[in-house]
Amino acid sequence: MTVTLSIRNVPAALVKRLKRKAAIHKRSLQGELIAILEEAASPSRLTVDELWQRARRLGPPTPGDSTKMIREDRDAR
């Protein structure tokens, strides 16, 4: 079942940008709007656990890295 939505008083500049974006993606304006709504309403792609694992993999800079950056910054003064 589909539903019809209506948005009123959309600024002309916004419509122009949306039409340009639709053309880039080779879609109609309606198709582009549905794609934008789908993306906005989709659940997060990463779970909290996945995000935590990614952060752990990337890790913070090692103490040596930050010490070197601070030293370089101070020496430049």
Short mmCIF file of all heavy atoms in Angstrom, two decimals:
data_model
loop_
_atom_site.label_atom_id
_atom_site.label_comp_id
_atom_site.label_asym_id
_atom_site.label_seq_id
_atom_site.Cartn_x
_atom_site.Cartn_y
_atom_site.Cartn_z
N MET A 1 0.84 -1.18 0.00
CA MET A 1 0.00 0.00 0.00
C MET A 1 0.89 1.24 0.00
O MET A 1 1.84 1.35 0.76
CB MET A 1 -0.88 -0.03 1.25
CG MET A 1 -1.76 1.16 1.37
SD MET A 1 -2.78 0.99 2.84
CE MET A 1 -3.48 2.59 2.87
N THR A 2 0.61 2.17 -0.85
CA THR A 2 1.36 3.42 -0.89
C THR A 2 0.50 4.56 -0.37
O THR A 2 -0.72 4.48 -0.34
CB THR A 2 1.82 3.75 -2.32
OG1 THR A 2 0.67 3.89 -3.14
CG2 THR A 2 2.71 2.67 -2.86
N VAL A 3 1.17 5.60 0.05
CA VAL A 3 0.50 6.79 0.58
C VAL A 3 1.02 7.98 -0.19
O VAL A 3 2.19 8.04 -0.57
CB VAL A 3 0.83 6.95 2.09
CG1 VAL A 3 0.24 8.23 2.64
CG2 VAL A 3 0.35 5.75 2.87
N THR A 4 0.17 8.94 -0.42
CA THR A 4 0.57 10.17 -1.09
C THR A 4 0.89 11.22 -0.04
O THR A 4 0.09 11.48 0.86
CB THR A 4 -0.55 10.68 -2.01
OG1 THR A 4 -0.84 9.67 -2.97
CG2 THR A 4 -0.16 11.96 -2.70
N LEU A 5 2.09 11.80 -0.15
CA LEU A 5 2.50 12.87 0.75
C LEU A 5 2.54 14.17 -0.05
O LEU A 5 2.82 14.17 -1.23
CB LEU A 5 3.89 12.60 1.32
CG LEU A 5 4.06 11.33 2.14
CD1 LEU A 5 5.52 11.16 2.54
CD2 LEU A 5 3.19 11.39 3.39
N SER A 6 2.32 15.26 0.64
CA SER A 6 2.37 16.57 -0.01
C SER A 6 3.17 17.52 0.87
O SER A 6 2.98 17.57 2.08
CB SER A 6 0.95 17.10 -0.19
OG SER A 6 0.98 18.38 -0.77
N ILE A 7 4.07 18.27 0.24
CA ILE A 7 4.86 19.27 0.96
C ILE A 7 4.54 20.62 0.34
O ILE A 7 4.71 20.80 -0.87
CB ILE A 7 6.37 18.97 0.86
CG1 ILE A 7 6.67 17.58 1.42
CG2 ILE A 7 7.17 20.03 1.60
CD1 ILE A 7 8.08 17.14 1.22
N ARG A 8 4.14 21.55 1.15
CA ARG A 8 3.76 22.87 0.65
C ARG A 8 4.86 23.89 0.91
O ARG A 8 5.69 23.73 1.79
CB ARG A 8 2.48 23.33 1.33
CG ARG A 8 1.33 22.45 1.01
CD ARG A 8 0.09 22.95 1.68
NE ARG A 8 -0.99 22.01 1.38
CZ ARG A 8 -2.09 21.95 2.04
NH1 ARG A 8 -2.32 22.77 3.05
NH2 ARG A 8 -3.02 21.08 1.71
N ASN A 9 4.82 24.95 0.14
CA ASN A 9 5.69 26.11 0.32
C ASN A 9 7.19 25.77 0.27
O ASN A 9 7.98 26.26 1.06
CB ASN A 9 5.37 26.84 1.63
CG ASN A 9 3.92 27.29 1.68
OD1 ASN A 9 3.38 27.76 0.69
ND2 ASN A 9 3.29 27.13 2.82
N VAL A 10 7.55 24.92 -0.67
CA VAL A 10 8.96 24.56 -0.83
C VAL A 10 9.64 25.69 -1.61
O VAL A 10 9.17 26.07 -2.68
CB VAL A 10 9.10 23.22 -1.60
CG1 VAL A 10 10.56 22.85 -1.78
CG2 VAL A 10 8.34 22.12 -0.88
N PRO A 11 10.71 26.24 -1.08
CA PRO A 11 11.40 27.33 -1.77
C PRO A 11 11.89 26.89 -3.16
O PRO A 11 12.36 25.76 -3.35
CB PRO A 11 12.59 27.65 -0.86
CG PRO A 11 12.21 27.12 0.48
CD PRO A 11 11.33 25.93 0.21
N ALA A 12 11.78 27.78 -4.12
CA ALA A 12 12.16 27.48 -5.50
C ALA A 12 13.63 27.06 -5.60
O ALA A 12 13.97 26.16 -6.38
CB ALA A 12 11.90 28.69 -6.39
N ALA A 13 14.49 27.67 -4.80
CA ALA A 13 15.91 27.32 -4.85
C ALA A 13 16.13 25.88 -4.41
O ALA A 13 16.97 25.17 -4.98
CB ALA A 13 16.72 28.27 -3.97
N LEU A 14 15.37 25.43 -3.42
CA LEU A 14 15.49 24.05 -2.96
C LEU A 14 15.00 23.08 -4.03
O LEU A 14 15.63 22.05 -4.28
CB LEU A 14 14.70 23.85 -1.66
CG LEU A 14 14.64 22.43 -1.10
CD1 LEU A 14 16.05 21.88 -0.87
CD2 LEU A 14 13.83 22.40 0.19
N VAL A 15 13.90 23.41 -4.67
CA VAL A 15 13.37 22.57 -5.75
C VAL A 15 14.41 22.45 -6.86
O VAL A 15 14.65 21.36 -7.39
CB VAL A 15 12.03 23.12 -6.29
CG1 VAL A 15 11.58 22.34 -7.52
CG2 VAL A 15 10.96 23.08 -5.21
N LYS A 16 15.04 23.54 -7.18
CA LYS A 16 16.06 23.53 -8.24
C LYS A 16 17.22 22.61 -7.87
O LYS A 16 17.68 21.82 -8.69
CB LYS A 16 16.57 24.96 -8.47
CG LYS A 16 17.51 25.11 -9.62
CD LYS A 16 17.88 26.56 -9.83
CE LYS A 16 18.83 26.71 -11.00
NZ LYS A 16 19.17 28.11 -11.25
N ARG A 17 17.68 22.69 -6.61
CA ARG A 17 18.78 21.82 -6.16
C ARG A 17 18.35 20.35 -6.18
O ARG A 17 19.12 19.48 -6.56
CB ARG A 17 19.25 22.23 -4.77
CG ARG A 17 19.96 23.57 -4.76
CD ARG A 17 20.73 23.83 -3.47
NE ARG A 17 20.05 23.50 -2.24
CZ ARG A 17 19.33 24.37 -1.52
NH1 ARG A 17 19.20 25.62 -1.90
NH2 ARG A 17 18.76 23.98 -0.39
N LEU A 18 17.12 20.08 -5.76
CA LEU A 18 16.63 18.70 -5.76
C LEU A 18 16.51 18.16 -7.18
O LEU A 18 16.85 16.99 -7.43
CB LEU A 18 15.28 18.62 -5.04
CG LEU A 18 15.33 18.80 -3.53
CD1 LEU A 18 13.92 19.01 -2.96
CD2 LEU A 18 16.00 17.61 -2.86
N LYS A 19 16.06 18.98 -8.09
CA LYS A 19 15.96 18.55 -9.49
C LYS A 19 17.34 18.27 -10.06
O LYS A 19 17.53 17.31 -10.80
CB LYS A 19 15.23 19.60 -10.33
CG LYS A 19 13.74 19.62 -10.10
CD LYS A 19 13.06 20.63 -11.00
CE LYS A 19 11.56 20.63 -10.81
NZ LYS A 19 10.88 21.59 -11.69
N ARG A 20 18.30 19.11 -9.72
CA ARG A 20 19.68 18.90 -10.19
C ARG A 20 20.23 17.59 -9.64
O ARG A 20 20.84 16.80 -10.35
CB ARG A 20 20.56 20.08 -9.76
CG ARG A 20 21.93 20.06 -10.41
CD ARG A 20 22.78 21.30 -10.08
NE ARG A 20 22.02 22.54 -10.03
CZ ARG A 20 22.01 23.38 -8.98
NH1 ARG A 20 22.71 23.13 -7.91
NH2 ARG A 20 21.30 24.48 -9.01
N LYS A 21 19.97 17.34 -8.36
CA LYS A 21 20.43 16.11 -7.73
C LYS A 21 19.75 14.89 -8.38
O LYS A 21 20.39 13.87 -8.61
CB LYS A 21 20.13 16.16 -6.23
CG LYS A 21 20.74 15.06 -5.44
CD LYS A 21 20.56 15.31 -3.94
CE LYS A 21 21.20 14.19 -3.16
NZ LYS A 21 21.14 14.41 -1.73
N ALA A 22 18.47 15.00 -8.67
CA ALA A 22 17.74 13.92 -9.33
C ALA A 22 18.33 13.64 -10.71
O ALA A 22 18.51 12.47 -11.08
CB ALA A 22 16.26 14.28 -9.44
N ALA A 23 18.66 14.67 -11.43
CA ALA A 23 19.24 14.49 -12.76
C ALA A 23 20.59 13.79 -12.69
O ALA A 23 20.90 12.91 -13.51
CB ALA A 23 19.38 15.84 -13.46
N ILE A 24 21.39 14.15 -11.70
CA ILE A 24 22.69 13.50 -11.52
C ILE A 24 22.52 12.01 -11.28
O ILE A 24 23.28 11.20 -11.81
CB ILE A 24 23.47 14.15 -10.35
CG1 ILE A 24 23.90 15.56 -10.73
CG2 ILE A 24 24.66 13.30 -9.91
CD1 ILE A 24 24.42 16.39 -9.57
N HIS A 25 21.50 11.65 -10.51
CA HIS A 25 21.25 10.23 -10.20
C HIS A 25 20.35 9.56 -11.24
O HIS A 25 19.97 8.40 -11.05
CB HIS A 25 20.63 10.11 -8.81
CG HIS A 25 21.54 10.53 -7.72
ND1 HIS A 25 21.18 11.42 -6.74
CD2 HIS A 25 22.83 10.20 -7.45
CE1 HIS A 25 22.19 11.60 -5.91
NE2 HIS A 25 23.21 10.88 -6.33
N LYS A 26 20.01 10.30 -12.29
CA LYS A 26 19.14 9.79 -13.37
C LYS A 26 17.81 9.28 -12.82
O LYS A 26 17.36 8.18 -13.11
CB LYS A 26 19.86 8.70 -14.16
CG LYS A 26 21.13 9.20 -14.84
CD LYS A 26 21.71 8.15 -15.72
CE LYS A 26 23.03 8.51 -16.35
NZ LYS A 26 23.42 9.83 -16.58
N ARG A 27 17.19 10.13 -12.01
CA ARG A 27 15.89 9.82 -11.42
C ARG A 27 14.94 10.98 -11.65
O ARG A 27 15.36 12.10 -11.89
CB ARG A 27 15.99 9.64 -9.90
CG ARG A 27 16.78 8.48 -9.45
CD ARG A 27 16.76 8.41 -7.93
NE ARG A 27 18.12 8.11 -7.54
CZ ARG A 27 18.56 7.91 -6.34
NH1 ARG A 27 17.78 8.03 -5.33
NH2 ARG A 27 19.80 7.62 -6.09
N SER A 28 13.68 10.68 -11.50
CA SER A 28 12.69 11.76 -11.49
C SER A 28 12.80 12.47 -10.15
O SER A 28 13.43 11.96 -9.21
CB SER A 28 11.28 11.16 -11.64
OG SER A 28 10.97 10.37 -10.50
N LEU A 29 12.19 13.63 -10.05
CA LEU A 29 12.19 14.35 -8.79
C LEU A 29 11.53 13.49 -7.71
O LEU A 29 12.04 13.38 -6.59
CB LEU A 29 11.45 15.69 -8.93
CG LEU A 29 11.33 16.53 -7.65
CD1 LEU A 29 12.70 16.84 -7.06
CD2 LEU A 29 10.58 17.82 -7.95
N GLN A 30 10.43 12.83 -8.06
CA GLN A 30 9.75 11.97 -7.09
C GLN A 30 10.65 10.81 -6.68
O GLN A 30 10.74 10.48 -5.49
CB GLN A 30 8.46 11.41 -7.70
CG GLN A 30 7.70 10.51 -6.75
CD GLN A 30 6.36 10.09 -7.29
OE1 GLN A 30 5.72 10.84 -8.01
NE2 GLN A 30 5.94 8.89 -6.95
N GLY A 31 11.34 10.21 -7.62
CA GLY A 31 12.26 9.12 -7.29
C GLY A 31 13.38 9.58 -6.37
O GLY A 31 13.79 8.86 -5.45
N GLU A 32 13.90 10.77 -6.62
CA GLU A 32 14.97 11.32 -5.78
C GLU A 32 14.46 11.59 -4.37
O GLU A 32 15.13 11.28 -3.39
CB GLU A 32 15.52 12.61 -6.40
CG GLU A 32 16.71 13.16 -5.68
CD GLU A 32 17.95 12.29 -5.78
OE1 GLU A 32 18.06 11.47 -6.70
OE2 GLU A 32 18.83 12.43 -4.92
N LEU A 33 13.26 12.14 -4.27
CA LEU A 33 12.69 12.42 -2.95
C LEU A 33 12.45 11.13 -2.17
O LEU A 33 12.73 11.07 -0.96
CB LEU A 33 11.39 13.21 -3.09
CG LEU A 33 11.57 14.64 -3.61
CD1 LEU A 33 10.21 15.25 -3.93
CD2 LEU A 33 12.33 15.50 -2.64
N ILE A 34 11.99 10.08 -2.85
CA ILE A 34 11.79 8.80 -2.16
C ILE A 34 13.13 8.24 -1.70
O ILE A 34 13.25 7.75 -0.57
CB ILE A 34 11.04 7.81 -3.08
CG1 ILE A 34 9.58 8.26 -3.23
CG2 ILE A 34 11.11 6.38 -2.53
CD1 ILE A 34 8.78 7.48 -4.25
N ALA A 35 14.16 8.35 -2.53
CA ALA A 35 15.49 7.87 -2.15
C ALA A 35 16.01 8.64 -0.93
O ALA A 35 16.59 8.05 0.00
CB ALA A 35 16.46 8.00 -3.32
N ILE A 36 15.81 9.94 -0.91
CA ILE A 36 16.25 10.77 0.22
C ILE A 36 15.49 10.37 1.49
O ILE A 36 16.09 10.21 2.56
CB ILE A 36 16.06 12.27 -0.09
CG1 ILE A 36 17.05 12.71 -1.16
CG2 ILE A 36 16.19 13.12 1.18
CD1 ILE A 36 16.77 14.09 -1.73
N LEU A 37 14.19 10.17 1.37
CA LEU A 37 13.39 9.76 2.53
C LEU A 37 13.80 8.36 3.02
O LEU A 37 13.88 8.12 4.22
CB LEU A 37 11.90 9.79 2.19
CG LEU A 37 11.31 11.18 2.01
CD1 LEU A 37 9.88 11.09 1.46
CD2 LEU A 37 11.32 11.95 3.32
N GLU A 38 14.05 7.46 2.09
CA GLU A 38 14.49 6.10 2.46
C GLU A 38 15.78 6.16 3.26
O GLU A 38 15.90 5.52 4.31
CB GLU A 38 14.72 5.24 1.21
CG GLU A 38 13.47 4.70 0.59
CD GLU A 38 12.91 3.50 1.32
OE1 GLU A 38 13.58 2.94 2.20
OE2 GLU A 38 11.77 3.14 1.00
N GLU A 39 16.73 6.94 2.78
CA GLU A 39 18.01 7.05 3.47
C GLU A 39 17.85 7.70 4.84
O GLU A 39 18.43 7.24 5.83
CB GLU A 39 19.00 7.86 2.64
CG GLU A 39 20.38 7.93 3.26
CD GLU A 39 21.37 8.70 2.39
OE1 GLU A 39 21.14 8.85 1.19
OE2 GLU A 39 22.37 9.15 2.96
N ALA A 40 17.04 8.73 4.91
CA ALA A 40 16.84 9.44 6.18
C ALA A 40 16.12 8.56 7.21
O ALA A 40 16.39 8.67 8.40
CB ALA A 40 16.05 10.72 5.94
N ALA A 41 15.24 7.70 6.75
CA ALA A 41 14.44 6.90 7.67
C ALA A 41 15.04 5.52 7.92
O ALA A 41 14.52 4.76 8.75
CB ALA A 41 13.03 6.74 7.12
N SER A 42 16.13 5.18 7.24
CA SER A 42 16.72 3.85 7.43
C SER A 42 17.42 3.78 8.78
O SER A 42 17.95 4.78 9.27
CB SER A 42 17.69 3.53 6.30
OG SER A 42 18.83 4.35 6.37
N PRO A 43 17.44 2.60 9.36
CA PRO A 43 18.14 2.46 10.64
C PRO A 43 19.64 2.65 10.43
O PRO A 43 20.15 2.54 9.32
CB PRO A 43 17.83 1.02 11.07
CG PRO A 43 17.40 0.33 9.84
CD PRO A 43 16.86 1.37 8.91
N SER A 44 20.31 2.94 11.51
CA SER A 44 21.76 3.13 11.46
C SER A 44 22.40 1.91 10.84
O SER A 44 22.01 0.78 11.10
CB SER A 44 22.30 3.37 12.87
OG SER A 44 23.69 3.43 12.84
N ARG A 45 23.40 2.13 10.03
CA ARG A 45 24.06 1.01 9.36
C ARG A 45 25.03 0.28 10.28
O ARG A 45 25.36 -0.85 10.04
CB ARG A 45 24.77 1.53 8.12
CG ARG A 45 23.78 2.04 7.10
CD ARG A 45 24.46 2.36 5.80
NE ARG A 45 23.45 2.77 4.84
CZ ARG A 45 23.44 3.89 4.19
NH1 ARG A 45 24.41 4.75 4.35
NH2 ARG A 45 22.48 4.18 3.35
N LEU A 46 25.49 0.95 11.32
CA LEU A 46 26.41 0.32 12.26
C LEU A 46 25.74 0.11 13.61
O LEU A 46 25.04 1.01 14.09
CB LEU A 46 27.65 1.20 12.48
CG LEU A 46 28.61 1.37 11.33
CD1 LEU A 46 29.73 2.34 11.73
CD2 LEU A 46 29.20 0.06 10.90
N THR A 47 25.95 -1.05 14.18
CA THR A 47 25.48 -1.26 15.54
C THR A 47 26.50 -0.61 16.48
O THR A 47 27.60 -0.26 16.08
CB THR A 47 25.37 -2.76 15.87
OG1 THR A 47 26.68 -3.32 15.85
CG2 THR A 47 24.45 -3.48 14.90
N VAL A 48 26.13 -0.50 17.75
CA VAL A 48 27.05 0.07 18.73
C VAL A 48 28.31 -0.79 18.82
O VAL A 48 29.43 -0.28 18.88
CB VAL A 48 26.36 0.19 20.11
CG1 VAL A 48 27.35 0.60 21.17
CG2 VAL A 48 25.19 1.16 20.03
N ASP A 49 28.12 -2.11 18.79
CA ASP A 49 29.28 -3.01 18.86
C ASP A 49 30.20 -2.84 17.65
O ASP A 49 31.42 -2.82 17.79
CB ASP A 49 28.83 -4.47 18.95
CG ASP A 49 28.20 -4.80 20.30
OD1 ASP A 49 28.57 -4.15 21.30
OD2 ASP A 49 27.36 -5.71 20.35
N GLU A 50 29.61 -2.69 16.46
CA GLU A 50 30.43 -2.49 15.25
C GLU A 50 31.19 -1.18 15.34
O GLU A 50 32.36 -1.11 14.96
CB GLU A 50 29.55 -2.51 14.00
CG GLU A 50 28.97 -3.87 13.69
CD GLU A 50 27.88 -3.82 12.63
OE1 GLU A 50 27.22 -2.76 12.47
OE2 GLU A 50 27.69 -4.84 11.96
N LEU A 51 30.54 -0.15 15.82
CA LEU A 51 31.19 1.15 15.96
C LEU A 51 32.34 1.06 16.97
O LEU A 51 33.43 1.59 16.74
CB LEU A 51 30.17 2.20 16.39
CG LEU A 51 30.66 3.63 16.48
CD1 LEU A 51 31.20 4.12 15.15
CD2 LEU A 51 29.53 4.53 16.95
N TRP A 52 32.11 0.37 18.08
CA TRP A 52 33.15 0.20 19.09
C TRP A 52 34.35 -0.56 18.51
O TRP A 52 35.49 -0.17 18.72
CB TRP A 52 32.57 -0.53 20.30
CG TRP A 52 33.58 -0.86 21.34
CD1 TRP A 52 34.05 -2.10 21.67
CD2 TRP A 52 34.26 0.05 22.19
NE1 TRP A 52 34.97 -2.01 22.67
CE2 TRP A 52 35.13 -0.69 23.01
CE3 TRP A 52 34.23 1.43 22.35
CZ2 TRP A 52 35.95 -0.11 23.96
CZ3 TRP A 52 35.05 2.01 23.30
CH2 TRP A 52 35.89 1.25 24.08
N GLN A 53 34.09 -1.62 17.78
CA GLN A 53 35.17 -2.40 17.17
C GLN A 53 35.97 -1.56 16.18
O GLN A 53 37.20 -1.62 16.13
CB GLN A 53 34.62 -3.65 16.48
CG GLN A 53 34.08 -4.69 17.43
CD GLN A 53 35.14 -5.19 18.41
OE1 GLN A 53 36.29 -5.37 18.06
NE2 GLN A 53 34.73 -5.38 19.66
N ARG A 54 35.27 -0.76 15.40
CA ARG A 54 35.95 0.12 14.43
C ARG A 54 36.83 1.14 15.15
O ARG A 54 37.96 1.39 14.76
CB ARG A 54 34.93 0.82 13.55
CG ARG A 54 35.57 1.65 12.45
CD ARG A 54 34.56 2.28 11.55
NE ARG A 54 33.94 1.27 10.73
CZ ARG A 54 33.03 1.52 9.81
NH1 ARG A 54 32.63 2.76 9.61
NH2 ARG A 54 32.51 0.56 9.09
N ALA A 55 36.30 1.72 16.22
CA ALA A 55 37.07 2.71 16.99
C ALA A 55 38.30 2.05 17.61
O ALA A 55 39.38 2.65 17.63
CB ALA A 55 36.19 3.33 18.07
N ARG A 56 38.15 0.84 18.11
CA ARG A 56 39.29 0.13 18.70
C ARG A 56 40.34 -0.19 17.65
O ARG A 56 41.54 -0.11 17.91
CB ARG A 56 38.82 -1.14 19.39
CG ARG A 56 38.04 -0.84 20.66
CD ARG A 56 37.68 -2.09 21.40
NE ARG A 56 38.93 -2.67 21.94
CZ ARG A 56 39.05 -3.92 22.31
NH1 ARG A 56 38.03 -4.75 22.18
NH2 ARG A 56 40.18 -4.37 22.80
N ARG A 57 39.90 -0.56 16.44
CA ARG A 57 40.85 -0.85 15.36
C ARG A 57 41.64 0.39 14.97
O ARG A 57 42.84 0.33 14.76
CB ARG A 57 40.10 -1.36 14.13
CG ARG A 57 40.17 -2.83 13.91
CD ARG A 57 39.71 -3.24 12.53
NE ARG A 57 38.70 -2.40 11.93
CZ ARG A 57 37.41 -2.69 11.86
NH1 ARG A 57 36.95 -3.80 12.36
NH2 ARG A 57 36.56 -1.87 11.30
N LEU A 58 40.95 1.51 14.86
CA LEU A 58 41.64 2.75 14.49
C LEU A 58 42.54 3.22 15.61
O LEU A 58 43.66 3.65 15.38
CB LEU A 58 40.62 3.84 14.13
CG LEU A 58 39.78 3.59 12.89
CD1 LEU A 58 38.70 4.65 12.77
CD2 LEU A 58 40.64 3.53 11.65
N GLY A 59 42.03 3.14 16.82
CA GLY A 59 42.81 3.48 18.00
C GLY A 59 43.28 4.93 18.03
O GLY A 59 43.35 5.61 17.01
N PRO A 60 43.60 5.39 19.22
CA PRO A 60 44.14 6.75 19.35
C PRO A 60 45.61 6.77 18.92
O PRO A 60 46.25 5.73 18.87
CB PRO A 60 44.02 7.03 20.85
CG PRO A 60 44.11 5.68 21.48
CD PRO A 60 43.46 4.73 20.50
N PRO A 61 46.15 7.93 18.63
CA PRO A 61 47.57 7.99 18.29
C PRO A 61 48.39 7.52 19.49
O PRO A 61 47.98 7.67 20.64
CB PRO A 61 47.82 9.46 17.99
CG PRO A 61 46.59 10.20 18.32
CD PRO A 61 45.50 9.21 18.62
N THR A 62 49.52 6.98 19.21
CA THR A 62 50.38 6.53 20.31
C THR A 62 50.93 7.74 21.03
O THR A 62 51.03 8.82 20.47
CB THR A 62 51.54 5.68 19.78
OG1 THR A 62 52.33 6.49 18.92
CG2 THR A 62 51.05 4.46 19.03
N PRO A 63 51.31 7.59 22.31
CA PRO A 63 51.84 8.72 23.06
C PRO A 63 53.02 9.38 22.36
O PRO A 63 53.17 10.58 22.40
CB PRO A 63 52.27 8.11 24.40
CG PRO A 63 51.44 6.88 24.54
CD PRO A 63 51.22 6.38 23.14
N GLY A 64 53.84 8.58 21.69
CA GLY A 64 54.98 9.15 20.97
C GLY A 64 54.54 10.11 19.87
O GLY A 64 55.19 11.12 19.63
N ASP A 65 53.42 9.80 19.21
CA ASP A 65 52.94 10.66 18.14
C ASP A 65 52.52 12.02 18.68
O ASP A 65 52.88 13.06 18.14
CB ASP A 65 51.74 10.02 17.42
CG ASP A 65 52.12 8.79 16.61
OD1 ASP A 65 53.32 8.62 16.33
OD2 ASP A 65 51.22 8.02 16.28
N SER A 66 51.75 12.02 19.76
CA SER A 66 51.28 13.29 20.31
C SER A 66 52.43 14.08 20.92
O SER A 66 52.48 15.31 20.80
CB SER A 66 50.17 13.07 21.34
OG SER A 66 50.64 12.29 22.41
N THR A 67 53.35 13.40 21.55
CA THR A 67 54.50 14.09 22.13
C THR A 67 55.30 14.79 21.05
O THR A 67 55.70 15.95 21.21
CB THR A 67 55.40 13.08 22.89
OG1 THR A 67 54.62 12.44 23.89
CG2 THR A 67 56.59 13.77 23.53
N LYS A 68 55.50 14.10 19.95
CA LYS A 68 56.25 14.69 18.83
C LYS A 68 55.52 15.92 18.28
O LYS A 68 56.15 16.96 18.02
CB LYS A 68 56.43 13.64 17.73
CG LYS A 68 57.22 14.14 16.55
CD LYS A 68 57.33 13.06 15.48
CE LYS A 68 58.01 13.61 14.26
NZ LYS A 68 57.97 12.68 13.13
N MET A 69 54.19 15.82 18.13
CA MET A 69 53.42 16.95 17.59
C MET A 69 53.50 18.15 18.53
O MET A 69 53.66 19.29 18.08
CB MET A 69 51.96 16.55 17.36
CG MET A 69 51.78 15.59 16.20
SD MET A 69 50.06 15.26 15.74
CE MET A 69 49.37 14.63 17.24
N ILE A 70 53.39 17.90 19.83
CA ILE A 70 53.46 19.00 20.80
C ILE A 70 54.84 19.65 20.77
O ILE A 70 54.98 20.87 20.77
CB ILE A 70 53.12 18.50 22.22
CG1 ILE A 70 51.64 18.10 22.28
CG2 ILE A 70 53.46 19.55 23.27
CD1 ILE A 70 51.25 17.35 23.53
N ARG A 71 55.87 18.83 20.72
CA ARG A 71 57.25 19.35 20.66
C ARG A 71 57.45 20.20 19.42
O ARG A 71 58.01 21.30 19.48
CB ARG A 71 58.26 18.19 20.70
CG ARG A 71 59.70 18.56 20.52
CD ARG A 71 60.29 19.52 21.55
NE ARG A 71 59.98 19.15 22.91
CZ ARG A 71 59.82 20.05 23.91
NH1 ARG A 71 59.94 21.32 23.69
NH2 ARG A 71 59.52 19.65 25.12
N GLU A 72 56.98 19.72 18.25
CA GLU A 72 57.13 20.47 17.01
C GLU A 72 56.39 21.81 17.11
O GLU A 72 56.89 22.84 16.65
CB GLU A 72 56.63 19.66 15.84
CG GLU A 72 57.53 18.49 15.46
CD GLU A 72 56.91 17.57 14.41
OE1 GLU A 72 55.74 17.77 14.05
OE2 GLU A 72 57.63 16.67 13.99
N ASP A 73 55.20 21.78 17.70
CA ASP A 73 54.41 23.00 17.84
C ASP A 73 55.13 24.00 18.75
O ASP A 73 55.24 25.19 18.42
CB ASP A 73 53.03 22.68 18.43
CG ASP A 73 52.14 23.91 18.51
OD1 ASP A 73 51.98 24.59 17.48
OD2 ASP A 73 51.63 24.18 19.61
N ARG A 74 55.67 23.53 19.85
CA ARG A 74 56.38 24.42 20.78
C ARG A 74 57.67 24.96 20.16
O ARG A 74 58.01 26.12 20.34
CB ARG A 74 56.69 23.69 22.07
CG ARG A 74 55.48 23.45 22.91
CD ARG A 74 55.82 22.74 24.20
NE ARG A 74 54.64 22.51 24.99
CZ ARG A 74 54.57 21.68 26.02
NH1 ARG A 74 55.65 21.01 26.39
NH2 ARG A 74 53.45 21.54 26.68
N ASP A 75 58.38 24.12 19.44
CA ASP A 75 59.63 24.56 18.81
C ASP A 75 59.38 25.60 17.72
O ASP A 75 60.25 26.41 17.43
CB ASP A 75 60.38 23.35 18.23
CG ASP A 75 60.96 22.47 19.32
OD1 ASP A 75 60.98 22.90 20.49
OD2 ASP A 75 61.34 21.31 18.99
N ALA A 76 58.20 25.55 17.12
CA ALA A 76 57.89 26.49 16.03
C ALA A 76 57.61 27.90 16.57
O ALA A 76 57.63 28.87 15.82
CB ALA A 76 56.68 25.99 15.24
N ARG A 77 57.35 28.04 17.85
CA ARG A 77 57.01 29.34 18.42
C ARG A 77 58.19 30.22 18.60
O ARG A 77 59.26 30.08 18.84
CB ARG A 77 56.30 29.17 19.76
CG ARG A 77 54.95 28.53 19.58
CD ARG A 77 54.27 28.39 20.92
NE ARG A 77 53.11 27.54 20.74
CZ ARG A 77 52.36 27.14 21.74
NH1 ARG A 77 52.63 27.49 22.96
NH2 ARG A 77 51.32 26.39 21.53
#
